[in-house]
Amino acid sequence: MSQIGFRRTRLEWFSSLPACLLLLAVVLFSTSSDIHNQMLRAGEQMWGSYYKLRSDPVQPSCNPNRDIEAAVQQELAESGASDDPMAALLGAHEKDPADVRLAIERSVADCQASFASYENLKDKLTPSVKAYRAVELFVADLIAFGLESQRYILVILVMLCAVTATLSRHHIAMRAMETRLDYTVSHTLQTIANAMLLGSSVIFRQSSMGDETTMSAEALLLHNLWIIGFACLTLASLYRLFRVPDDLRDGGSLNKAFLAVPLYTVMCLISGTYFVLIGHASGIGIYLGKMMELADMFLNVGLYVWVGMMLKQTRLATLVFDVFRPWRMPPEMLAVVAVLVAAVPTAYTGASGIFVIAAGAVIYGELRAAGARRHLALAATAMSGSLGVVLRPCLLVVVIAYLNREVTTDELFGWGIWVFVLTAIMFMTVALTVNRQSKFNLAPSAEAFPAMMQALRPLIPYALVIAGVVLLYRFALDVRMDEFSAPRLLPVIMLAILLFEHVTLKKTAGRASEAPSHQGMESSLRSATNDTTSEIGALLLLLGLSVSIGGVIERSQIMEVFPQAFDSAWSAMLLMVVILVILGMIMDAFGAVILVTATVSTIAYSSGIHPIHFWMVTLVAFELGYLSPPVALNHLLTRQVVGEAEVLAAQQEGGTFYQRHERIIMPLIAMGISLVLVAFVPLLFYA
């Protein structure tokens, strides 16, 4: 075995396999809740009052054969019902014998009913009930364990994948490391930042233990996991610093070297320095700890990335593009179709950046195979996730509704459809009119339509597999496919598709003319998880430090410089647009939503901007920010998944200024016009 192969195998055992098990555990724990609900319902239908049988019945302590007459006399005697005049003088209260008798008769009747219920339950507690109960209680304990373990799973997953991303040089930066100077500067600053994260976590742990309240064992374990994780991350970056790869060339520029520093490192150095200067060294640790409050959301992000990496291992995307190939569309039109089709899976992955990581390489490869020029393919890939974030069941919209009582998911998704139509029309207009370099010579419908219908046939089995999983959850577990269930259904759907391809393509693996080669279920899942670990490490660490940057903005009270309310909704909206686009440039979607909820949203509401309108503007402004230099996060993610060589090749192409920068300018024009229309046109009707 070669040294590279040995390193890859070792990385799979110590990184990919644990990450795969953690992600499967998240799916299992979330699904076990649905299974448990159905088990309770089934137990109730089979035995009736099953909830009473979940524990052994306890024999009542009362006496069902109590002598009522004797009890009445004793009660009257104890209450002072006597003819003695001295008792009356001492204030003794006489009870009505009829009332006493009635109360005791009811007490005896209740006791007898309790005994009857006890005997009935004891008779129902058959061996089959006990066996069923043992399984049901095990599932209940599994759910409780899963809910308690979410935070620990998240910490372990983040740290494990972050170390993997460090060792594989996969963190998100403005440019790749090309020279030894780039490498040295990047890993030196990474080591400093990681040491800063470690120190902040240690200080946070010590300050928490110094509080008057006793720290729980769970909180102490969480602190220790953060410390161990950052210690490993620091050692990993230090190891990388002294193990310089041989494929880097000498020389380099210091300015370019700083651009090779990962974004999470820059965010860490900025926020860490700020917190140290204000005497709050534990600040980063505190804000990273806030990730635990939304542990399920960040775990869902990891699941979505895993789903995307599994999608890349299937033939599904290629088969979808095959449906449109018979029309012989020009590259610009095919790019529009790709972005529109990508809106649906984007809605199921939660944010545009997640989708670019998950499926960007597939979209870029298919567009290039169809003849699209590099700049156009890069622009479409970067924007492929920007249109679907307003559609149901996008996780980002669910988080907005969760954090803001002024809006609901139904309201946001309802208006999101119109925003999607607008942004789609804008992108279509820009792509098909500005700098169009191809002629519209579509194939005749008589020729293209039959071929398209023929290309739809291979997709039918995939649709049946997807429908089968959805219907299984619907009827077996009473779970509908929506914004809440999608994170746990999609991994199961993709695993089912991988299994389907493994079974069907394996049969014809030896006949290359009939079916493409297939690497198998185990190999596909392993490859998908290998890609997932690095991507999750790069993305979740960036999300965590983005929350820390939000803490810097919040604590520095920058927003207090602005008026807390504007007399004009138009002036307020203009300011909101600028602020939201800037936040989109420097923060991830989830961290930015948390910050906007705590600061900007109140100013907008007080200035007369409708909450639904404000959040629609926020979503579009964020997407414009992710496509805007100098950071342009979606373009960075695009470069990460398609490869540095493709981006460099595009930059070396000639042409007009627009042609040389089409991958940046085209999305800016489309989303910029959309943002202006979404922000200001509705004000004409209610401001």
Side-chain angles (χ1 to χ4, degrees):
M1 182 183 292
S2 66
Q3 186 176 5
I4 296 177
F6 175 73
R7 288 177 180 174
R8 180 176 299 174
T9 303
R10 185 171 54 186
L11 191 65
E12 290 174 355
W13 278 105
F14 291 100
S15 175
S16 299
L17 179 60
C20 181
L21 295 177
L22 288 173
L23 293 170
L24 286 174
V26 174
V27 176
L28 175 63
F29 289 145
S30 59
T31 305
S32 62
S33 176
D34 304 319
I35 297 174
H36 184 249
N37 291 335
Q38 292 303 105
M39 292 186 70
L40 290 176
R41 183 177 301 175
E44 196 70 21
Q45 292 176 350
M46 288 187 292
W47 293 290
S49 302
Y50 172 73
Y51 68 95
K52 294 181 180 179
L53 299 173
R54 298 184 72 229
S55 59
D56 291 334
V58 180
Q59 182 176 344
S61 58
C62 60
N63 182 10
N65 301 317
R66 186 180 181 187
D67 189 336
I68 296 178
E69 283 298 332
V72 170
Q73 294 302 322
Q74 182 181 357
E75 181 73 20
L76 292 174
E78 292 176 355
S79 65
S82 172
D83 294 335
D84 187 358
M86 288 300 296
L89 291 175
L90 293 175
H93 175 67
E94 294 186 8
K95 292 184 177 180
D96 187 345
D99 293 340
V100 173
R101 180 180 296 277
L102 180 61
I104 294 176
E105 288 176 347
R106 288 177 176 174
S107 176
V108 172
D110 291 341
C111 182
Q112 292 174 347
S114 298
F115 265 91
S117 176
Y118 167 73
E119 295 295 334
N120 182 45
L121 292 176
K122 194 166 64 170
D123 293 338
K124 286 184 176 181
L125 203 59
T126 60
S128 60
V129 173
K130 291 181 179 180
Y132 186 86
R133 182 181 67 179
V135 177
E136 181 264 314
L137 291 177
F138 171 77
V139 176
D141 292 338
L142 184 66
I143 295 171
F145 176 76
L147 292 175
E148 294 173 358
S149 303
Q150 274 192 334
R151 296 178 299 168
Y152 310 121
I153 291 176
L154 177 59
V155 175
I156 296 173
L157 187 66
V158 170
M159 293 292 96
L160 178 68
C161 296
V163 171
T164 303
T166 300
L167 294 175
S168 59
R169 296 187 295 166
H170 208 78
H171 284 296
I172 302 169
M174 298 288 289
R175 59 183 293 271
M177 290 177 278
E178 300 174 357
T179 66
R180 291 180 177 270
L181 180 61
D182 295 343
Y183 186 91
T184 302
V185 171
S186 177
H187 282 284
T188 299
L189 293 181
Q190 283 185 58
T191 304
I192 295 174
N194 294 335
M196 190 177 290
L197 290 170
L198 174 60
S200 180
S201 298
V202 171
I203 295 173
F204 181 33
R205 179 183 184 275
Q206 296 302 321
S207 62
S208 300
M209 294 184 67
D211 294 342
E212 296 181 358
T213 58
T214 304
M215 183 187 299
S216 64
E218 292 79 7
L220 182 60
L221 177 59
L222 204 59
H223 279 293
N224 292 337
L225 287 176
W226 279 117
I227 292 173
I228 294 172
F230 286 130
C232 293
L233 188 60
T234 303
L235 292 175
S237 58
L238 193 62
Y239 168 81
R240 264 298 173 197
L241 177 61
F242 292 102
R243 291 294 298 267
V244 181
D246 298 329
D247 58 347
L248 298 175
R249 68 174 188 268
D250 295 328
S253 165
L254 192 60
N255 291 333
K256 290 184 177 181
F258 282 120
L259 295 178
V261 177
L263 294 181
Y264 94 87
T265 300
V266 177
M267 292 181 176
C268 179
L269 294 174
I270 293 174
S271 57
T273 303
Y274 172 81
F275 286 126
V276 169
L277 291 177
I278 66 173
H280 190 56
S282 61
I284 301 181
I286 292 174
Y287 280 99
L288 283 176
K290 287 188 175 182
M291 290 178 65
M292 301 301 100
E293 299 175 7
L294 297 172
D296 55 342
M297 181 192 76
F298 288 103
L299 287 174
N300 289 343
V301 170
L303 289 176
Y304 284 136
V305 174
W306 193 34
V307 167
M309 295 301 107
M310 285 191 284
L311 173 64
K312 192 165 67 172
Q313 298 296 322
T314 70
R315 302 174 57 232
L316 192 56
T318 301
L319 293 176
V320 171
F321 273 89
D322 286 343
V323 174
F324 302 101
R325 286 195 178 97
W327 293 95
R328 297 199 294 269
M329 296 180 182
E332 293 86 358
M333 181 176 290
L334 188 61
V336 171
V337 171
V339 171
L340 294 180
V341 172
V344 175
T346 299
Y348 283 92
T349 55
S352 60
I354 300 174
F355 181 79
V356 172
I357 284 181
V362 177
I363 292 177
Y364 180 82
E366 293 298 331
L367 287 175
R368 287 288 293 152
R373 53 191 179 275
R374 284 190 175 89
H375 275 286
L376 178 62
L378 289 171
T381 303
M383 199 174 172
S384 59
S386 298
L387 271 61
V389 295
V390 292
L391 299 178
R392 190 182 299 272
C394 181
L395 178 63
L396 186 60
V397 177
V398 176
V399 173
I400 291 174
Y402 174 79
L403 297 175
N404 298 267
R405 295 183 177 181
E406 294 84 359
V407 294
T408 65
T409 53
D410 288 339
E411 292 172 335
L412 292 173
F413 286 131
W415 284 100
I417 295 176
W418 297 106
V419 174
F420 166 73
V421 172
L422 173 64
T423 52
I425 292 174
M426 287 299 104
F427 179 70
M428 184 185 306
T429 302
V430 173
L432 299 182
T433 58
V434 180
N435 194 39
R436 179 166 58 84
Q437 301 178 25
S438 306
K439 295 182 179 180
F440 281 79
N441 293 323
L442 295 178
S445 58
E447 173 188 340
F449 188 76
M452 184 182 74
M453 299 306 296
Q454 185 70 20
L456 281 172
R457 292 180 59 186
L459 285 171
I460 295 176
Y462 289 87
L464 293 176
V465 171
I466 295 173
V469 175
V470 173
L471 292 176
L472 175 65
Y473 270 79
R474 176 67 183 90
F475 293 105
L477 301 179
D478 194 25
V479 175
R480 299 176 183 273
M481 184 69 162
D482 55 24
E483 59 266 34
F484 306 105
S485 63
R488 63 181 183 270
L489 260 71
L490 289 176
V492 179
I493 290 174
M494 293 311 306
L495 288 171
I497 290 177
L498 287 176
L499 179 60
F500 163 75
E501 288 194 347
H502 172 72
V503 172
T504 57
L505 298 181
K506 185 178 180 180
K507 296 178 180 178
T508 53
R511 292 172 291 179
S513 60
E514 296 184 21
S517 60
H518 184 62
Q519 56 184 343
M521 173 78 176
E522 184 272 337
S523 182
S524 296
L525 184 59
R526 177 154 42 89
S527 298
T529 309
N530 289 342
D531 294 338
T532 300
T533 50
S534 298
E535 299 296 352
I536 288 179
L539 186 60
L540 288 186
L541 199 58
L542 181 62
L543 296 183
L545 270 301
S546 180
V547 174
S548 182
I549 286 290
V552 171
I553 297 175
E554 186 177 2
R555 280 182 169 269
S556 61
Q557 300 179 343
I558 295 177
M559 296 307 303
E560 293 188 2
V561 175
F562 303 100
Q564 297 305 300
F566 287 80
D567 296 333
S568 170
W570 293 82
S571 301
M573 181 58 75
L574 181 61
L575 177 64
M576 296 297 106
V577 167
V578 175
I579 293 176
L580 293 172
V581 172
I582 293 175
L583 289 178
M585 291 180 181
I586 62 176
M587 296 183 66
D588 78 281
F590 297 102
V593 163
I594 296 173
L595 176 63
V596 169
T597 298
T599 55
V600 181
S601 62
T602 55
I603 300 177
Y605 302 158
S606 301
S607 302
I609 298 176
H610 194 281
I612 297 177
H613 182 202
F614 170 75
W615 284 110
M616 288 293 104
V617 173
T618 300
L619 291 171
V620 180
F622 282 174
E623 293 307 318
L624 178 59
Y626 304 146
L627 296 166
S628 302
V631 179
L633 181 60
N634 280 8
H635 287 288
L636 296 181
L637 297 176
T638 298
R639 188 194 68 196
Q640 181 147 327
V641 296
V642 305
E644 184 73 18
E646 289 296 316
V647 179
L648 291 177
Q651 292 173 348
Q652 293 172 1
E653 293 179 355
T656 65
F657 178 83
Y658 181 90
Q659 292 172 342
R660 287 183 282 111
H661 300 88
E662 182 180 15
R663 66 187 182 92
I664 301 292
I665 298 176
M666 177 192 288
L668 289 182
I669 295 176
M671 295 305 298
I673 296 175
S674 299
L675 177 59
V676 172
L677 295 177
V678 172
F680 296 103
V681 170
L683 293 178
L684 296 171
F685 299 95
Y686 74 86

